[in-house]
Amino acid sequence: MRTQVGIVGAGPAGLLLGHLLHLRGIDSVIVENRGREYVTERVRAGVLEHGTTELLIQAGVGQRMLREGMRHSGVYLAFQGRRHRIDFEDLTGRWLTVYGQNEVVKDLISARYATGRPLCFDAEDVSVSRFDGEARPCIRFRSDGQEHELECDFIAGCDGFHGICRPSLRRESWRGYDCEYPFAWLGILANAAPSSDELVYSLHERGFALFSMRSSSVTRLYLQCASEESLDQWSDDRIWDELELRLSTLDGWRPNRGPILQKGVTGMRSFVAEPMRFGRLFLAGDAAHIVPPTGAKGLNLAAADVAVLSRALERHYRENRQDLLNEYSDRCLRRVWRAQRFSWWMTSMFHRTPGENEFEYKKQLAELQYVTSSRAAMTSLAENYTGLPLEVGL
Ligand code: APR
Ligand code: PHB
C-alpha cells in the first residue's frame, strides 16, 4: 500500500487533516486503533473558536454545526454569588459555537466516507518507522487479521497524548515541557434543559464549577475534584448538591436538575513537545500538546495545527517549496504557547489549590473583580477565549 500522507489517529486532528488534504487534492490514509463507535461516542469538550467554526464551514463540513450548534456571544464569570457577563461579540466582533467535539468527529467521518478515501478503524499494533532518513516513511499495522505496510511521503502523528508517534521519536530529538495541576474535573452530561443560554465559569470557596451545554435539552457540568477522585464517592444527588452550591447565584439562578446520562473524571495538565516536526513526521493536536480544559482550547489547537500542515503540504506538492513545512513547528508552537498561557491563567484564576492559604483566594477574587470591571481586561479575556485568527484559510 502507498499514499502521500499516512495519518495516525482519527480524532479531530487526523480527520480534519485528511479532509483538508482531500480538498487540496492530496491523497491520505487514516489509521485508527479504536472502533468507529468509540471515537464518535467519546464525550469531550464542545467549544469551537470563531476561527475553527469558519474553517469547518469553508471546508464544507459545517452544515450540521450551523443547524444544531449554538452561537454564544459571551460567557458569565461567577464569584461571591454574582454572575458577570463578558460580551465577546461587543468586545472583539467574534463569537463561539457550542457543538460537541464528538459531533464534529461524526461530521468529519461522514465527509471522509463521501470522498471514498481510506479510513481504517480497529487497526492493531500500529507502528511508524523510517521518518528521519532518506528511505520512505512507513506505517505498519494489522487489520482484519492481515499485516499492512503503508509507504508514505509523510506521516502525520495525530494519535493523541497516549499515541505511539511521540514515543517513537529518538529521546534526544525533542523536549517536553509540562505542568500537572493538583486537582481534576468531575464532568456530567444531564438530561436537563440549560437554565442559562451561555456558559458560567464559577469560583466558589469549595472550588471551581462550570455550567455548559450540548443542546436545548442537555446540560454539561463540571466540578473541581481531587486528582485521584473515585466516582464511587459521588452519588447523583451529591453531584447535584455540590453543583448547586458552587453555581447558584444570589439572583436565584441555578442549574436545572435532570437524569445524569454520563459521568467521568478528567485530569488536568499542560504539556508541550518541541519541536513538532522530525524529518518527515509531523505531530499535530494532542500528540504534541495538551491544555487543561479551562480555556476550551484543545480541539481548537488541533484544528489550527492541521490547517497549517495541510497548507504546507499543498505548497510542497504543488510548488515543490519546503518553506512552510520548515516553518510548521515554529508557527504552531507560537499559537500553542499563547493558548497554554491563557489556559493556565484561567485555571489558576478559578481553582482552589489544596493546602493554599486564604491569601490565594483573596487574590483570585481581586483578579476576577478586575477582569469583570475593566474593559481592557475583559477584551484580553475575550480575544484569547474566542481565539487568535487562524493564519491559514483554505
Ligand atoms: N494507532 C492509531 N490511532 C491511535 C493510536 C495508535 N497507536 N493511539 C491513539 N490513537 C487514536 C485515538 O484512539 C484517537 O482516536 O488517535 C486519536 C487521537 O484523537 P484525540 O485524542 O481526540 O486527539 P486530537 O485529534 O489531537 O484532538 C484534540 O481531543 O483530547 C481532545 O481536548 C482534546 O479537544 C482536543 C482534541
Ligand atoms: C464543555 O462544554 O464541555 C466545556 C466548555 C468549556 C470548557 C471546557 C469544556 O472550558
Side-chain angles (χ1 to χ4, degrees):
M1 251 202 299
R2 229 199 94 45
T3 188
Q4 290 176 301
V5 184
I7 301 176
V8 186
L15 289 165
L16 183 57
L17 177 63
H19 191 67
L20 295 174
L21 291 176
H22 161 76
L23 296 176
R24 300 183 193 283
I26 301 167
D27 185 33
S28 66
V29 173
I30 306 179
V31 181
E32 162 65 49
N33 69 347
R34 301 286 196 148
R36 178 174 180 177
E37 195 159 323
Y38 176 89
V39 172
T40 51
E41 296 313 319
R42 198 163 36 182
V43 180
R44 292 277 190 67
V47 177
L48 308 183
E49 288 178 359
H50 193 109
T52 308
T53 307
E54 282 183 337
L55 180 66
L56 294 175
I57 296 169
Q58 279 172 21
V61 286
Q63 300 90 332
R64 198 163 67 92
M65 174 192 70
L66 284 172
R67 270 197 321 275
E68 297 175 20
M70 291 164 283
R71 175 173 162 154
H72 282 207
S73 302
V75 287
Y76 290 98
L77 307 188
F79 55 99
Q80 294 183 303
R82 292 199 164 72
R83 280 185 298 160
H84 305 257
R85 184 162 186 269
I86 311 280
D87 188 334
F88 294 154
E89 207 163 340
D90 172 49
L91 293 160
T92 64
R94 295 160 74 77
W95 58 87
L96 307 163
T97 306
V98 173
Y99 186 62
Q101 176 172 314
N102 60 322
E103 303 302 330
V104 174
V105 165
K106 281 182 203 163
D107 296 344
L108 287 167
I109 291 175
S110 307
R112 180 74 182 179
Y113 283 138
T115 66
R117 295 193 192 267
L119 163 54
C120 173
F121 285 109
D122 298 306
E124 294 170 84
D125 288 334
V126 182
S127 67
V128 293
S129 57
R130 302 199 306 240
F131 46 82
D132 52 3
E134 288 305 306
R136 266 188 209 295
C138 175
I139 302 178
R140 287 198 179 81
F141 60 99
R142 199 168 51 251
S143 166
D144 294 327
Q146 271 198 313
E147 303 289 337
H148 296 274
E149 227 183 83
L150 175 65
E151 241 188 42
C152 334
D153 298 339
F154 298 99
I155 295 177
C158 301
D159 50 348
F161 186 62
H162 300 287
I164 47 99
C165 289
R166 202 180 60 252
S168 309
L169 305 170
R170 275 182 295 112
R171 195 58 201 90
E172 64 281 12
S173 65
W174 65 281
R175 179 158 177 207
Y177 299 84
D178 69 351
C179 165
E180 277 200 47
Y181 301 87
F183 38 74
W185 281 13
L186 192 167
I188 64 163
L189 202 61
N191 214 338
S195 55
S196 157
D197 51 14
E198 289 174 343
L199 273 56
V200 183
Y201 284 81
S202 174
L203 171 66
H204 186 271
E205 276 174 320
R206 295 170 63 87
F208 172 70
L210 171 61
F211 174 93
S212 179
M213 65 203 72
R214 285 294 175 274
S215 69
S216 56
S217 57
V218 175
T219 311
R220 175 88 172 133
L221 300 126
Y222 299 93
L223 278 176
Q224 175 185 349
C225 61
S227 316
E228 60 294 335
E229 196 77 46
S230 157
L231 278 174
D232 304 343
Q233 311 295 315
W234 289 88
S235 66
D236 291 4
D237 283 343
R238 181 174 171 214
I239 294 175
W240 281 119
D241 289 347
E242 193 65 30
L243 282 166
E244 210 165 272
L245 192 66
R246 296 192 198 177
L247 284 166
S248 303
T249 43
L250 296 166
D251 57 6
W253 180 79
R254 64 164 86 133
N256 288 331
R257 293 190 181 211
I260 296 183
L261 307 170
Q262 193 266 350
K263 47 182 149 172
V265 174
T266 316
M268 308 268 288
R269 84 189 281 185
S270 303
F271 170 80
V272 181
E274 289 195 5
M276 289 169 58
R277 180 204 181 161
F278 305 86
R280 291 199 250 172
L281 185 149
F282 295 83
L283 296 179
D286 274 19
H289 41 73
I290 50 175
V291 282
T294 331
K297 289 283 167 250
L299 167 64
N300 297 295
L301 283 178
D305 287 351
V306 300
V308 175
L309 185 53
S310 66
R311 181 80 188 84
L313 288 165
E314 178 183 48
R315 184 86 71 113
H316 163 83
Y317 284 112
R318 286 236 176 117
E319 301 169 44
N320 196 22
R321 283 176 54 188
Q322 315 309 316
D323 50 341
L324 283 182
L325 286 176
N326 293 337
E327 288 169 24
Y328 169 73
S329 183
D330 288 347
R331 271 184 186 238
C332 292
L333 286 167
R334 272 200 295 278
R335 186 184 191 91
V336 167
W337 279 110
R338 293 237 347 211
Q340 289 289 2
R341 185 212 63 86
F342 176 67
S343 307
W344 168 85
W345 175 71
M346 287 285 284
T347 305
S348 347
M349 187 160 61
F350 278 107
H351 292 77
R352 306 281 332 256
T353 301
E356 77 181 10
N357 67 26
E358 287 302 294
F359 182 88
E360 286 303 317
Y361 185 52
K362 291 280 191 188
K363 200 174 69 181
Q364 287 172 307
L365 292 175
E367 177 113 44
L368 281 164
Q369 266 144 15
Y370 175 57
V371 167
T372 51
S373 58
S374 147
R375 191 170 170 93
M378 284 190 248
T379 308
S380 164
L381 187 145
E383 264 177 11
N384 283 282
Y385 200 102
T386 56
L388 300 172
L390 283 178
E391 287 186 36
V392 206
L394 276 182

